[in-house]
Structures are given as C-alpha cells and as structure tokens.
mmCIF file of all heavy atoms in Angstrom:
data_model
loop_
_atom_site.group_PDB
_atom_site.id
_atom_site.type_symbol
_atom_site.label_atom_id
_atom_site.label_comp_id
_atom_site.label_asym_id
_atom_site.label_seq_id
_atom_site.Cartn_x
_atom_site.Cartn_y
_atom_site.Cartn_z
ATOM 1 N N MET A 12 0.813 -1.204 0.000
ATOM 2 C CA MET A 12 0.000 0.000 0.000
ATOM 3 C C MET A 12 0.851 1.260 0.000
ATOM 4 O O MET A 12 2.027 1.240 0.352
ATOM 5 C CB MET A 12 -0.919 0.032 1.214
ATOM 6 C CG MET A 12 -0.208 0.155 2.546
ATOM 7 S SD MET A 12 -1.111 1.134 3.802
ATOM 8 C CE MET A 12 -0.596 2.803 3.408
ATOM 9 N N ARG A 13 0.217 2.347 -0.407
ATOM 10 C CA ARG A 13 0.779 3.673 -0.167
ATOM 11 C C ARG A 13 -0.375 4.596 0.201
ATOM 12 O O ARG A 13 -1.504 4.423 -0.260
ATOM 13 C CB ARG A 13 1.552 4.210 -1.370
ATOM 14 C CG ARG A 13 0.725 4.596 -2.571
ATOM 15 C CD ARG A 13 1.645 5.045 -3.714
ATOM 16 N NE ARG A 13 0.900 5.534 -4.861
ATOM 17 C CZ ARG A 13 0.637 6.819 -5.099
ATOM 18 N NH1 ARG A 13 1.075 7.755 -4.264
ATOM 19 N NH2 ARG A 13 -0.045 7.187 -6.164
ATOM 20 N N PHE A 14 -0.083 5.570 1.049
ATOM 21 C CA PHE A 14 -1.106 6.495 1.502
ATOM 22 C C PHE A 14 -1.334 7.571 0.443
ATOM 23 O O PHE A 14 -0.382 8.125 -0.096
ATOM 24 C CB PHE A 14 -0.684 7.139 2.824
ATOM 25 C CG PHE A 14 -1.667 8.158 3.332
ATOM 26 C CD1 PHE A 14 -2.842 7.766 3.950
ATOM 27 C CD2 PHE A 14 -1.427 9.507 3.170
ATOM 28 C CE1 PHE A 14 -3.756 8.703 4.405
ATOM 29 C CE2 PHE A 14 -2.327 10.452 3.624
ATOM 30 C CZ PHE A 14 -3.497 10.046 4.239
ATOM 31 N N LEU A 15 -2.605 7.881 0.182
ATOM 32 C CA LEU A 15 -2.939 8.894 -0.807
ATOM 33 C C LEU A 15 -3.361 10.205 -0.157
ATOM 34 O O LEU A 15 -2.767 11.255 -0.404
ATOM 35 C CB LEU A 15 -4.056 8.391 -1.723
ATOM 36 C CG LEU A 15 -3.722 7.202 -2.623
ATOM 37 C CD1 LEU A 15 -4.958 6.788 -3.418
ATOM 38 C CD2 LEU A 15 -2.572 7.537 -3.560
ATOM 39 N N SER A 16 -4.396 10.163 0.647
ATOM 40 C CA SER A 16 -4.927 11.388 1.237
ATOM 41 C C SER A 16 -5.985 10.998 2.257
ATOM 42 O O SER A 16 -6.238 9.819 2.497
ATOM 43 C CB SER A 16 -5.553 12.283 0.165
ATOM 44 O OG SER A 16 -6.691 11.647 -0.416
ATOM 45 N N ARG A 17 -6.622 12.002 2.831
ATOM 46 C CA ARG A 17 -7.792 11.754 3.664
ATOM 47 C C ARG A 17 -9.030 11.817 2.780
ATOM 48 O O ARG A 17 -9.132 12.657 1.897
ATOM 49 C CB ARG A 17 -7.881 12.780 4.785
ATOM 50 C CG ARG A 17 -6.724 12.714 5.776
ATOM 51 C CD ARG A 17 -7.026 13.515 7.012
ATOM 52 N NE ARG A 17 -8.168 12.982 7.735
ATOM 53 C CZ ARG A 17 -8.109 11.998 8.637
ATOM 54 N NH1 ARG A 17 -6.951 11.448 8.904
ATOM 55 N NH2 ARG A 17 -9.192 11.583 9.243
ATOM 56 N N VAL A 18 -9.976 10.945 3.081
ATOM 57 C CA VAL A 18 -11.182 10.894 2.278
ATOM 58 C C VAL A 18 -12.320 11.655 2.952
ATOM 59 O O VAL A 18 -13.373 11.841 2.370
ATOM 60 C CB VAL A 18 -11.590 9.422 2.017
ATOM 61 C CG1 VAL A 18 -12.155 8.784 3.270
ATOM 62 C CG2 VAL A 18 -12.559 9.301 0.850
ATOM 63 N N ASP A 19 -12.088 12.111 4.171
ATOM 64 C CA ASP A 19 -13.160 12.771 4.906
ATOM 65 C C ASP A 19 -13.079 14.283 4.746
ATOM 66 O O ASP A 19 -12.537 14.791 3.766
ATOM 67 C CB ASP A 19 -13.146 12.346 6.378
ATOM 68 C CG ASP A 19 -11.806 12.637 7.047
ATOM 69 O OD1 ASP A 19 -10.940 13.252 6.391
ATOM 70 O OD2 ASP A 19 -11.624 12.257 8.211
ATOM 71 N N ASP A 20 -13.573 15.018 5.727
ATOM 72 C CA ASP A 20 -13.761 16.457 5.560
ATOM 73 C C ASP A 20 -12.624 17.299 6.114
ATOM 74 O O ASP A 20 -12.844 18.385 6.628
ATOM 75 C CB ASP A 20 -15.077 16.882 6.226
ATOM 76 C CG ASP A 20 -15.047 16.684 7.740
ATOM 77 O OD1 ASP A 20 -14.165 15.959 8.242
ATOM 78 O OD2 ASP A 20 -15.924 17.256 8.425
ATOM 79 N N GLN A 21 -11.411 16.830 6.009
ATOM 80 C CA GLN A 21 -10.291 17.588 6.535
ATOM 81 C C GLN A 21 -9.171 17.656 5.509
ATOM 82 O O GLN A 21 -9.068 16.806 4.631
ATOM 83 C CB GLN A 21 -9.776 16.971 7.841
ATOM 84 C CG GLN A 21 -10.818 16.969 8.940
ATOM 85 C CD GLN A 21 -10.264 16.447 10.244
ATOM 86 O OE1 GLN A 21 -9.064 16.361 10.436
ATOM 87 N NE2 GLN A 21 -11.147 16.084 11.166
ATOM 88 N N ILE A 22 -8.361 18.683 5.646
ATOM 89 C CA ILE A 22 -7.190 18.853 4.790
ATOM 90 C C ILE A 22 -5.955 18.744 5.660
ATOM 91 O O ILE A 22 -5.784 19.504 6.607
ATOM 92 C CB ILE A 22 -7.209 20.204 4.060
ATOM 93 C CG1 ILE A 22 -8.419 20.295 3.118
ATOM 94 C CG2 ILE A 22 -5.918 20.418 3.281
ATOM 95 C CD1 ILE A 22 -8.545 21.631 2.404
ATOM 96 N N ASP A 23 -5.098 17.766 5.372
ATOM 97 C CA ASP A 23 -3.878 17.543 6.142
ATOM 98 C C ASP A 23 -2.736 18.331 5.517
ATOM 99 O O ASP A 23 -2.485 18.233 4.328
ATOM 100 C CB ASP A 23 -3.545 16.047 6.159
ATOM 101 C CG ASP A 23 -2.483 15.709 7.180
ATOM 102 O OD1 ASP A 23 -1.376 16.240 7.055
ATOM 103 O OD2 ASP A 23 -2.765 14.914 8.096
ATOM 104 N N ILE A 24 -2.051 19.120 6.342
ATOM 105 C CA ILE A 24 -0.931 19.931 5.866
ATOM 106 C C ILE A 24 0.340 19.510 6.572
ATOM 107 O O ILE A 24 0.505 19.729 7.782
ATOM 108 C CB ILE A 24 -1.181 21.443 6.102
ATOM 109 C CG1 ILE A 24 -2.463 21.894 5.410
ATOM 110 C CG2 ILE A 24 0.011 22.265 5.598
ATOM 111 C CD1 ILE A 24 -2.432 21.818 3.906
ATOM 112 N N ALA A 25 1.259 18.872 5.833
ATOM 113 C CA ALA A 25 2.606 18.533 6.301
ATOM 114 C C ALA A 25 2.610 17.661 7.554
ATOM 115 O O ALA A 25 3.615 17.588 8.256
ATOM 116 C CB ALA A 25 3.426 19.801 6.545
ATOM 117 N N GLY A 26 1.494 16.983 7.841
ATOM 118 C CA GLY A 26 1.443 16.126 9.013
ATOM 119 C C GLY A 26 1.268 16.859 10.325
ATOM 120 O O GLY A 26 1.210 16.233 11.384
ATOM 121 N N PHE A 27 1.180 18.193 10.303
ATOM 122 C CA PHE A 27 1.061 18.971 11.533
ATOM 123 C C PHE A 27 -0.387 19.220 11.927
ATOM 124 O O PHE A 27 -0.710 19.259 13.107
ATOM 125 C CB PHE A 27 1.776 20.329 11.380
ATOM 126 C CG PHE A 27 3.237 20.269 11.704
ATOM 127 C CD1 PHE A 27 4.147 19.744 10.798
ATOM 128 C CD2 PHE A 27 3.712 20.739 12.907
ATOM 129 C CE1 PHE A 27 5.491 19.689 11.084
ATOM 130 C CE2 PHE A 27 5.058 20.695 13.212
ATOM 131 C CZ PHE A 27 5.950 20.163 12.300
ATOM 132 N N THR A 28 -1.258 19.451 10.969
ATOM 133 C CA THR A 28 -2.621 19.809 11.311
ATOM 134 C C THR A 28 -3.579 19.321 10.243
ATOM 135 O O THR A 28 -3.190 19.141 9.083
ATOM 136 C CB THR A 28 -2.776 21.339 11.471
ATOM 137 O OG1 THR A 28 -4.094 21.630 11.925
ATOM 138 C CG2 THR A 28 -2.526 22.062 10.166
ATOM 139 N N ARG A 29 -4.814 19.081 10.666
ATOM 140 C CA ARG A 29 -5.875 18.737 9.735
ATOM 141 C C ARG A 29 -6.980 19.771 9.921
ATOM 142 O O ARG A 29 -7.583 19.853 10.978
ATOM 143 C CB ARG A 29 -6.383 17.309 9.996
ATOM 144 C CG ARG A 29 -5.352 16.250 9.661
ATOM 145 C CD ARG A 29 -5.974 14.869 9.649
ATOM 146 N NE ARG A 29 -6.371 14.428 10.966
ATOM 147 C CZ ARG A 29 -5.571 13.772 11.799
ATOM 148 N NH1 ARG A 29 -4.330 13.525 11.451
ATOM 149 N NH2 ARG A 29 -6.017 13.385 12.978
ATOM 150 N N LEU A 30 -7.209 20.538 8.897
ATOM 151 C CA LEU A 30 -8.160 21.641 8.974
ATOM 152 C C LEU A 30 -9.514 21.206 8.426
ATOM 153 O O LEU A 30 -9.606 20.656 7.333
ATOM 154 C CB LEU A 30 -7.639 22.838 8.171
ATOM 155 C CG LEU A 30 -6.300 23.419 8.642
ATOM 156 C CD1 LEU A 30 -5.824 24.492 7.677
ATOM 157 C CD2 LEU A 30 -6.426 23.996 10.033
ATOM 158 N N SER A 31 -10.555 21.491 9.179
ATOM 159 C CA SER A 31 -11.903 21.123 8.768
ATOM 160 C C SER A 31 -12.542 22.261 7.987
ATOM 161 O O SER A 31 -12.078 23.401 8.004
ATOM 162 C CB SER A 31 -12.764 20.788 9.989
ATOM 163 O OG SER A 31 -12.998 21.960 10.750
ATOM 164 N N GLU A 32 -13.630 21.947 7.314
ATOM 165 C CA GLU A 32 -14.400 22.955 6.601
ATOM 166 C C GLU A 32 -14.824 24.071 7.548
ATOM 167 O O GLU A 32 -14.750 25.253 7.210
ATOM 168 C CB GLU A 32 -15.629 22.300 5.968
ATOM 169 C CG GLU A 32 -16.561 23.264 5.256
ATOM 170 C CD GLU A 32 -17.778 22.573 4.697
ATOM 171 O OE1 GLU A 32 -17.939 21.359 4.937
ATOM 172 O OE2 GLU A 32 -18.583 23.239 4.019
ATOM 173 N N LYS A 33 -15.230 23.680 8.747
ATOM 174 C CA LYS A 33 -15.731 24.664 9.705
ATOM 175 C C LYS A 33 -14.666 25.694 10.078
ATOM 176 O O LYS A 33 -14.935 26.895 10.130
ATOM 177 C CB LYS A 33 -16.252 23.963 10.966
ATOM 178 C CG LYS A 33 -16.813 24.929 12.010
ATOM 179 C CD LYS A 33 -17.291 24.197 13.263
ATOM 180 C CE LYS A 33 -18.531 23.406 12.988
ATOM 181 N NZ LYS A 33 -19.089 22.800 14.233
ATOM 182 N N VAL A 34 -13.443 25.248 10.352
ATOM 183 C CA VAL A 34 -12.429 26.200 10.822
ATOM 184 C C VAL A 34 -11.937 27.096 9.689
ATOM 185 O O VAL A 34 -11.657 28.282 9.899
ATOM 186 C CB VAL A 34 -11.267 25.457 11.513
ATOM 187 C CG1 VAL A 34 -10.327 24.803 10.508
ATOM 188 C CG2 VAL A 34 -10.488 26.412 12.417
ATOM 189 N N ILE A 35 -11.862 26.577 8.458
ATOM 190 C CA ILE A 35 -11.475 27.434 7.330
ATOM 191 C C ILE A 35 -12.562 28.468 7.071
ATOM 192 O O ILE A 35 -12.283 29.654 6.826
ATOM 193 C CB ILE A 35 -11.216 26.577 6.068
ATOM 194 C CG1 ILE A 35 -10.035 25.628 6.297
ATOM 195 C CG2 ILE A 35 -10.930 27.478 4.863
ATOM 196 C CD1 ILE A 35 -9.807 24.645 5.173
ATOM 197 N N TRP A 36 -13.793 28.028 7.143
ATOM 198 C CA TRP A 36 -14.930 28.935 6.950
ATOM 199 C C TRP A 36 -14.906 30.049 8.005
ATOM 200 O O TRP A 36 -15.110 31.224 7.712
ATOM 201 C CB TRP A 36 -16.231 28.144 7.061
ATOM 202 C CG TRP A 36 -17.396 28.730 6.328
ATOM 203 C CD1 TRP A 36 -17.621 30.043 6.023
ATOM 204 C CD2 TRP A 36 -18.512 28.000 5.796
ATOM 205 N NE1 TRP A 36 -18.809 30.184 5.346
ATOM 206 C CE2 TRP A 36 -19.372 28.945 5.190
ATOM 207 C CE3 TRP A 36 -18.858 26.665 5.782
ATOM 208 C CZ2 TRP A 36 -20.572 28.573 4.589
ATOM 209 C CZ3 TRP A 36 -20.048 26.295 5.183
ATOM 210 C CH2 TRP A 36 -20.889 27.237 4.587
ATOM 211 N N LYS A 37 -14.647 29.647 9.260
ATOM 212 C CA LYS A 37 -14.612 30.630 10.341
ATOM 213 C C LYS A 37 -13.467 31.615 10.154
ATOM 214 O O LYS A 37 -13.609 32.821 10.419
ATOM 215 C CB LYS A 37 -14.481 29.916 11.684
ATOM 216 C CG LYS A 37 -14.665 30.833 12.880
ATOM 217 C CD LYS A 37 -14.735 30.036 14.183
ATOM 218 C CE LYS A 37 -14.986 30.959 15.363
ATOM 219 N NZ LYS A 37 -15.076 30.191 16.644
#
C-alpha cells in the first residue's frame, strides 16, 4: 500500500494539522 490522502472532511498539511471545513470557513 501507499497512503494517498484523507477521504473525509479535513485537509492535512505537512502532518502537523488537519483543517476542517468549519475552521477554514470561520
């Protein structure tokens, strides 16, 4: 296997944080 991405509602940046739709919107 190899990891591709997250399939849910978050955006992972450099392994440090996963930002949700809600926090970007806010």
Side-chain angles (χ1 to χ4, degrees):
M12 66 146 274
R13 70 183 185 96
F14 177 77
L15 294 177
S16 65
R17 296 193 63 86
V18 73
D19 57 5
D20 65 344
Q21 298 184 16
I22 297 177
D23 193 299
I24 302 295
F27 274 78
T28 185
R29 292 192 291 271
L30 299 174
S31 68
E32 177 182 4
K33 181 181 290 186
V34 77
I35 297 174
W36 206 333
K37 189 171 183 179

